[in-house]
Amino acid sequence: MPTEKQKRDRYFIKTYGCQMNINDSNKMIEILESRGYQPSEIGKAHIIIINSCTVRQNAENKAFWYAKSVQHYKKNKPYIKIVFCGCVAEDKKDEIQKLLPHVDLFIPPNNPGKIEEVLEGGNRRMRVEGRGGVTAFVNIMTGCDNFCSYCIVPYVRGREKSRRPEEILAEIRALPTNVKEITLLGQNVNSYKYGFAALLRKIKGVERIRFLTSHPKDMSDDIIEAVAKLPNVCEHIHLPIQHGDDDILKAMNRKYTVDDFKRTVEKIRNKIPGVAITSDMIIGFPGETEKQFENCVRTARELSFDSIITTIFSPRPKTTAAKMDNQVPEKTKKERLQKIMKVVDEIALSINEKLVGTTQEILVEDFMNSEYMGRTRTNKIVKFKSAKSGLRGKLLNVTIKSARSFILKGDL
Ligand code: SF4
């Protein structure tokens, strides 16, 4: 019979925010599973982990209230450990530690190894090789030096630090064999200290390589060339423009103009046939006039992105933009967001409709609700039905039968 201590081997993890946070969570999961812990629903967990995000106020509030709400699990089971990690744990350390006294451990971002401090049970079995996933994230750098005026990342994740290529390549070689696709992660991979294009050229033995995120000012010809030439690098570039008006871009401290951005997009499209370009836009930045918003909509149309993640500006503490006194009223921000989302949807749909009838190579990632789900090299989600089992992890050709703005359906 296992002892009470040995039975304490279940964890539950809730992650808010970006791929960097997902990656930190994955690392913690890896550590937990290598110690014999298993995932469970929250009510049965012995370790509850909340990985928070502070990029927007809404995300920060959600993580905080979630962490507050889990304290009742400790009433009957005082041995449960609650862990609060991520950007909020760093940004509001002193305040949050007072507000969440039931939390046992606070972990700042980029430090998933600290989870070891709460591990006590588990059956200490050998390291579990992989978690069945066919895709994996690989961090190549942390932090950011850019100080965009709206962004809290440099304050909570610190200055830019690049990992050495040998270390990254060793991590990639050690990935389980079922991993077919990797995504190289960093706040600005284009400024990777040891040369991002050179790193791409050194990666071998992986079917597909993606990367996130790119700063337009650092998207060099060499990187574009590497994406164009290397067969395992996917034809998808996420290039956040953030706004379509030069004065707003200046106030955002983005260090490029709309024309600079257009030239970069033109180069990418000329060099990489069939490439998908996706972007981010922030609506309602302080001082944004109706005309500047219209410039943003026009730019979105002109650049015809495959998709754009549009978000409302959210003032973050410590940032320059939060201190600007010309904040746009919430109501106006919401109305503008609705308008631009409609345009973004129309563009995405018209691009996706052109794929109907074509055959796309997809990597099958999952099987849910009687359908397989995979992604094209251009990162479009494709769903298809098949009576065959075991297709997860396979690269297959699927003929696209119908399209919506964010999803394609097809047949094997
Ligand atoms: S590039 Fe700008 S938006 Fe991106 S993480 Fe750095 S400061 Fe934030």
Side-chain angles (χ1 to χ4, degrees):
M1 285 284 285
T3 64
E4 179 57 21
K5 196 175 178 190
Q6 281 169 331
K7 274 192 279 172
R8 292 181 199 169
D9 61 357
R10 303 239 158 90
Y11 71 88
F12 172 84
I13 188 160
K14 175 108 182 145
T15 308
Y16 295 90
C18 65
Q19 269 81 4
M20 305 292 275
N21 263 17
I22 296 172
N23 195 33
D24 277 355
S25 288
N26 284 347
K27 293 245 162 73
M28 284 188 275
I29 290 170
E30 225 177 272
I31 295 168
L32 286 159
E33 297 196 355
S34 72
R35 300 283 187 275
Y37 284 80
Q38 288 166 15
S40 76
E41 57 189 77
I42 190 163
K44 291 185 181 154
H46 304 111
I47 299 179
I48 298 173
I49 304 164
I50 299 115
N51 197 356
S52 65
C53 168
T54 187
V55 167
R56 274 174 269 288
Q57 187 65 49
N58 195 21
E60 182 178 318
N61 294 348
K62 278 190 192 161
F64 171 76
W65 286 109
Y66 196 80
K68 196 124 184 92
S69 74
V70 298
Q71 63 182 318
H72 73 272
Y73 289 109
K74 272 196 154 187
K75 277 202 184 122
N76 296 333
K77 295 185 264 181
Y79 50 84
I80 282 182
K81 302 281 187 215
I82 298 177
V83 181
F84 191 78
C85 1
C87 294
V88 184
E90 176 65 12
D91 182 42
K92 306 235 161 112
K93 287 207 262 242
D94 301 333
E95 199 183 322
I96 214 93
Q97 292 188 8
K98 277 188 213 132
L99 292 169
L100 300 173
H102 56 286
V103 168
D104 298 277
L105 178 69
F106 291 88
I107 305 183
N110 309 327
N111 203 353
K114 206 166 169 8
I115 191 74
E116 299 265 9
E117 291 178 23
V118 289
L119 307 190
E120 48 169 85
N123 54 22
R124 312 235 166 226
R125 69 180 177 214
M126 292 302 288
R127 183 186 169 84
V128 177
E129 282 305 323
R131 298 175 17 253
V134 296
T135 61
F137 292 124
V138 178
N139 245 3
I140 65 164
M141 59 202 295
T142 54
C144 183
D145 292 343
N146 286 309
F147 288 90
C148 300
S149 65
Y150 52 85
C151 182
I152 198 166
V153 166
Y155 303 94
V156 289
R157 290 196 176 249
R159 293 301 82 74
E160 209 170 275
K161 271 195 220 118
S162 298
R163 292 175 71 200
R164 296 216 46 104
E166 313 82 78
E167 203 185 310
I168 296 167
L169 296 172
E171 182 176 329
I172 295 169
R173 280 195 300 273
L175 286 169
T177 48
N178 46 314
V179 172
K180 299 287 187 317
E181 177 184 297
I182 58 165
T183 304
L184 305 173
L185 288 183
Q187 302 294 349
N188 179 15
V189 292
N190 313 64
S191 64
Y192 174 66
K193 186 174 152 191
Y194 304 100
F196 185 58
L199 178 70
L200 286 175
R201 292 186 182 106
K202 282 184 192 144
I203 300 172
K204 305 275 181 265
V206 187
E207 307 258 11
R208 285 179 168 192
I209 303 170
R210 301 187 185 280
F211 54 90
L212 278 175
T213 290
S214 299
H215 195 303
K217 76 175 168 53
D218 297 316
M219 180 53 88
S220 67
D221 292 353
D222 195 24
I223 295 172
I224 299 173
E225 191 74 21
V227 179
K229 295 267 165 66
L230 295 167
N232 51 357
V233 179
C234 291
E235 297 81 14
H236 168 227
I237 294 183
H238 186 70
L239 201 63
I241 186 168
Q242 304 300 11
H243 209 276
D245 179 88
D246 282 344
D247 289 334
I248 298 275
L249 285 176
K250 195 160 182 232
M252 285 178 160
N253 193 29
R254 291 291 288 175
K255 302 190 180 84
Y256 53 83
T257 62
V258 174
D259 278 348
D260 296 335
F261 189 93
K262 283 181 180 166
R263 277 191 289 274
T264 306
V265 166
E266 204 182 318
K267 259 193 247 170
I268 294 171
R269 288 188 170 142
N270 283 341
K271 288 266 175 190
I272 314 168
V275 68
I277 303 180
T278 55
S279 198
D280 296 336
M281 276 186 169
I282 297 173
I283 305 305
F285 186 82
E288 184 191 71
T289 61
E290 199 54 39
K291 186 160 181 286
Q292 288 170 325
F293 169 68
E294 287 307 329
N295 286 344
C296 200
V297 176
R298 199 188 57 239
T299 306
R301 281 193 197 281
E302 284 171 4
L303 283 164
S304 190
F305 294 108
D306 286 71
S307 76
I308 308 177
I309 299 170
T310 45
T311 46
I312 280 184
F313 169 76
S314 167
R316 307 312 298 129
K318 298 181 191 155
T319 62
T320 318
K323 294 173 207 138
M324 294 177 177
D325 53 14
N326 46 358
Q327 302 290 326
V328 176
E330 283 306 306
K331 188 169 168 281
T332 312
K333 287 196 237 177
K334 284 184 185 153
E335 285 166 4
R336 289 180 184 169
L337 181 74
Q338 291 307 319
K339 272 193 208 163
I340 196 155
M341 278 169 66
K342 216 165 153 257
V343 173
V344 169
D345 260 18
E346 279 165 21
I347 300 167
L349 180 62
S350 80
I351 293 175
N352 286 350
E353 277 173 342
K354 290 189 189 118
L355 295 174
V356 175
T358 65
T359 300
Q360 301 286 325
E361 179 204 86
I362 68 156
L363 172 64
V364 185
E365 290 178 25
D366 218 338
F367 182 76
M368 272 185 320
N369 306 327
S370 333
E371 276 182 319
Y372 281 102
M373 185 286 277
R375 279 170 209 269
T376 63
R377 288 179 61 93
T378 50
N379 208 32
K380 294 183 189 286
I381 295 174
V382 181
K383 291 192 170 182
F384 68 94
K385 289 198 160 79
S386 171
K388 291 184 186 164
S389 61
L391 297 185
R392 220 176 189 210
K394 297 244 183 312
L395 284 164
L396 300 172
N397 286 328
V398 169
T399 305
I400 306 302
K401 294 287 175 193
S402 66
R404 284 169 43 199
S405 48
F406 290 105
I407 213 155
L408 302 166
K409 294 228 174 187
D411 284 342
L412 256 189

